[in-house]
Amino acid sequence: MMRVDILVPDTRKEKVVRDLEDSGLMELIEADAPGVEKSGISDSYPRVSEFINMIEDTLEAFPAPVKKDNIGSKEKVSVRDDGTERLLLDAEKMRPILENVRSIRDELKSCSDRKEKLSAIGKIVSLLGSLDVDPSSVSGHDLVSVFLGNIPAKDVLKVKEELSNKSRKSFVKAGKASGGSSLLVAVVSNEHADDSTRILNTSGFEPLKLPEEISGMSLAEAKSFVEGETEKATKLEDKLKNELLKLSEKRHDLLVLLELLKIEKNLDESGMKFGKTNLTGLISGWVPEAKLKSLESTVKRSSNNACEVSSRKPGKGEIPPSLMHNPGPASGFEMITKNYGLPAYDELDPTKIITFTFPFIFGMMFGDVGHGIMLFIAGLFMVKKFDAGIRDFGKTIVICGIAATFFGFLYGSMFGLTIENTSWMFHPLWMEPLAHGGANITYFIKFSIMLALVVLSLGCILNIVNKARHSLIHAFFHPWGVLGLWVLLAGANLFFRHGMDFIPLIITGVLGNAEAMSTIFTDFMLLLIPVALVPVGEIFVDKKPVPVGLYAAMEVLQCFLVNTISYVRVVIIAVVHGALLLMVMKVMEVVTSGMSGPVGSVVSVLIFIIGNVGVFGMEAMISMVQTVRLHYYELFSKFYSASGRRFSPFKTERNYTVRK
């Protein structure tokens, strides 16, 4: 990544900026040269923002299209860079449409509210109809008080009795409403109104307000009113929707205008990062080194060579963005790296490395020719049928499928069929994990430990390379640097030369057994020296407290031991994969033992297919998760800080327009 500063005459700056935005070659940063002032927002910015908001509101108000506005559904409109003011004039021509849509949207909202209100009135009329009570009967009385509302059904008889006892002239009528409540109409004399209110309230009475629009109507009039008004509102709503549908024919024109306005807004906002003098403008940013010549060519063309372009490597204290570029098969594995984090600018990108280690470890866990081919086909389907994210994952799946197929030949397994259970199957090119009564599993575990040592050593070597770019001392003393690699290899040497006996040999040697000490001394010292030097680096090089330094020595030993043991999971999952497939074969054998002819064959095939599909789905997921885990915790943690930030080029996507 290169730091670039572009100096252009003020009269040429807009053309240069537009071409830079169109090219997407540069990430802008604030210009900070001595004597240069900051640029500001233009006077047209508020109007541009206003039109953007209006158009977005309008597009939301339009009915959803039958098909989404795909980028390729219409040809892109060829546009000239006529400047912001010209674009705002075009936007003003669209203002009547925008305001008309806003007015229609508000009217539609009123229609919707009106229909909702009429629906509520209709429910009240329906409830009154269940009691055969006119709306006019429950309003406008001077000599009596009328109560209308809902009351729990279980309390209706009690309320009737209490109101009757209070006033012999009371009238109470109830009908079933809904949800365990009843609609109640009670008419009492005004002198008993307060007592009646208390009785009703203590019984959970919920008053129901009679809408004024129907208060003087009979039931028939109220029903007719609700039906008529609902019909009017519906007709008006349909009319407004048709008007909106006609206006939506301008959708594409508005999308074009919106895109151009957003480009202007982006250009205006980016201008706040530019520097200026009386006659010139300064544009600064980061450019990928491979794109530097293209950038220089673009700027020279835009400014008619009236420019000065200077570039340099990042200086001390500058943090350039990271741009990952892994062509071919490695591109699919970028997703795994990015999920952990982006590499810092001066940090090794592990993607190319895991392009080899990831499928290798996955293939060991999921080795089966049949399942590998299934995975390969699934990956190809993702690559062909889906968009970028799933397509990249599909590339990973394709390579993992090839690796699983390769290990399937090494294991001599196809859909769980092996030479052990099927005489006509091919022999394994390496070994069948479940064969020879578990002897192969012991060998497999040893192989996985060797694999762990290779991968962990690789992590340390990569960390040494990263650290050596800044400080050779840190590269040596870092727990995962030279000392860490030394600890790992010395520990492996101790284990392979003495097995698990090295622990009692060390203990008895330290306690005074000269023979034990002489046996273990050289190998033990090879381990002890780097372990003792780790705290030295932590305390005197990294300036950490003494307890932290001492703990670091223990952590190095513990982590390498745990990390190495973690790779045994490769064996466990591979063995479980084979065992589950073997179980499918046994189930098929047991279930069909009493069957013969076509029925037995059909049942066998069904069990075989269903069992393999089930094992495939479960084991593929488990193997993928465990492979990711082994890379994140056992490999990446040794050298990869993932502290980078994404390269964000100065560019606005054009989905509906193209520059002339």
Side-chain angles (χ1 to χ4, degrees), residues 93-120:
K93 293 176 183 177
M94 284 288 188
R95 186 184 285 275
I97 293 175
L98 302 176
E99 290 179 347
N100 194 10
V101 170
R102 179 182 291 178
S103 174
I104 292 173
R105 183 186 60 191
D106 292 342
E107 285 189 72
L108 280 170
K109 177 69 168 59
S110 297
C111 280
S112 176
D113 292 343
R114 177 62 174 164
K115 288 176 72 176
E116 190 175 329
K117 184 178 180 181
L118 288 168
S119 176

Side-chain angles (χ1 to χ4, degrees), residues 386-463:
F386 291 94
D387 294 332
I390 297 178
R391 185 168 63 240
D392 289 342
F393 183 61
K395 293 177 184 177
T396 303
I397 294 296
V398 165
I399 297 173
C400 287
I402 294 171
T405 304
F406 171 72
F407 273 94
F409 282 111
L410 294 182
Y411 297 160
S413 174
M414 177 183 284
F415 295 117
L417 301 172
T418 67
I419 195 69
E420 296 283 320
N421 55 44
T422 308
S423 58
W424 48 265
M425 272 298 292
F426 57 86
H427 286 271
L429 299 178
W430 181 27
M431 64 158 185
E432 185 190 344
L434 295 176
H436 302 121
N440 283 355
I441 295 177
T442 304
Y443 169 73
F444 204 178
I445 290 173
K446 291 179 180 178
F447 183 85
S448 70
I449 292 173
M450 292 298 296
L451 175 65
L453 293 174
V454 171
V455 175
L456 294 174
S457 297
L458 176 64
C460 290
I461 291 168
L462 294 173
N463 189 50

Side-chain angles (χ1 to χ4, degrees), residues 417-523:
L417 301 172
T418 67
I419 195 69
E420 296 283 320
N421 55 44
T422 308
S423 58
W424 48 265
M425 272 298 292
F426 57 86
H427 286 271
L429 299 178
W430 181 27
M431 64 158 185
E432 185 190 344
L434 295 176
H436 302 121
N440 283 355
I441 295 177
T442 304
Y443 169 73
F444 204 178
I445 290 173
K446 291 179 180 178
F447 183 85
S448 70
I449 292 173
M450 292 298 296
L451 175 65
L453 293 174
V454 171
V455 175
L456 294 174
S457 297
L458 176 64
C460 290
I461 291 168
L462 294 173
N463 189 50
I464 292 168
V465 173
N466 277 336
K467 297 295 180 186
R469 291 176 173 179
H470 302 283
S471 167
L472 291 175
I473 294 176
H474 279 86
F476 180 82
F477 279 103
H478 194 273
W480 316 123
V482 173
L483 287 182
L485 182 60
W486 187 352
V487 170
L488 175 65
L489 297 179
N493 172 68
L494 197 63
F495 175 76
F496 284 114
R497 282 174 59 86
H498 304 284
M500 293 306 296
D501 290 339
F502 79 90
I503 297 175
L505 280 172
I506 291 173
I507 294 172
T508 54
V510 170
L511 293 176
N513 188 319
E515 183 181 352
M517 180 55 74
S518 64
T519 304
I520 199 78
F521 181 76
T522 303
D523 297 325

Side-chain angles (χ1 to χ4, degrees), residues 22-231:
D22 202 44
S23 68
L25 294 170
M26 186 176 188
E27 179 182 302
L28 298 178
I29 59 175
E30 293 201 13
D32 57 358
V36 173
E37 298 177 7
K38 296 291 182 186
S39 297
I41 291 289
S42 70
D43 295 337
S44 60
Y45 183 82
R47 290 179 64 204
V48 170
S49 298
E50 177 195 3
F51 275 114
I52 287 174
N53 292 333
M54 289 178 69
I55 294 172
E56 287 179 338
D57 286 346
T58 298
L59 291 171
E60 285 182 9
F62 283 155
V66 178
K67 276 190 172 182
K68 286 190 175 180
D69 291 284
N70 294 323
I71 294 172
S73 61
K74 286 191 178 183
E75 268 193 50
K76 292 184 179 182
V77 178
S78 182
V79 294
R80 294 184 182 277
D81 289 327
D82 293 330
T84 308
E85 289 305 318
R86 176 70 186 184
L87 184 62
L88 286 171
L89 287 175
D90 292 339
E92 284 292 347
K93 293 176 183 177
M94 284 288 188
R95 186 184 285 275
I97 293 175
L98 302 176
E99 290 179 347
N100 194 10
V101 170
R102 179 182 291 178
S103 174
I104 292 173
R105 183 186 60 191
D106 292 342
E107 285 189 72
L108 280 170
K109 177 69 168 59
S110 297
C111 280
S112 176
D113 292 343
R114 177 62 174 164
K115 288 176 72 176
E116 190 175 329
K117 184 178 180 181
L118 288 168
S119 176
I121 294 173
K123 288 178 181 177
I124 293 173
V125 172
S126 177
L127 290 171
L128 290 173
S130 67
L131 297 178
D132 196 24
V133 173
D134 291 328
S136 59
S137 302
V138 294
S139 61
H141 299 287
D142 296 327
L143 301 178
V144 293
S145 297
V146 181
F147 298 91
L148 173 67
N150 290 314
I151 192 169
K154 61 184 179 60
D155 294 326
V156 170
L157 292 176
K158 182 185 75 170
V159 168
K160 278 185 175 183
E161 185 178 343
E162 289 184 7
L163 290 176
S164 298
N165 291 337
K166 185 58 65 176
S167 172
R168 296 294 178 185
K169 295 180 180 180
S170 65
F171 168 81
V172 182
K173 195 169 187 180
K176 189 171 182 183
S178 61
S181 64
S182 294
L183 181 70
L184 180 138
V185 175
V187 182
V188 298
S189 60
N190 286 338
E191 61 182 301
H192 297 112
D194 291 340
D195 291 333
S196 299
T197 299
R198 179 182 53 77
I199 292 169
L200 289 168
N201 287 341
T202 55
S203 300
F205 179 73
E206 295 178 2
L208 193 62
K209 186 178 180 181
L210 189 70
E212 292 182 6
E213 290 170 283
I214 61 169
S215 60
M217 296 181 181
S218 66
L219 268 176
E221 290 170 337
K223 287 179 182 177
S224 177
F225 169 80
V226 170
E227 290 171 1
E229 289 297 311
T230 301
E231 186 178 355

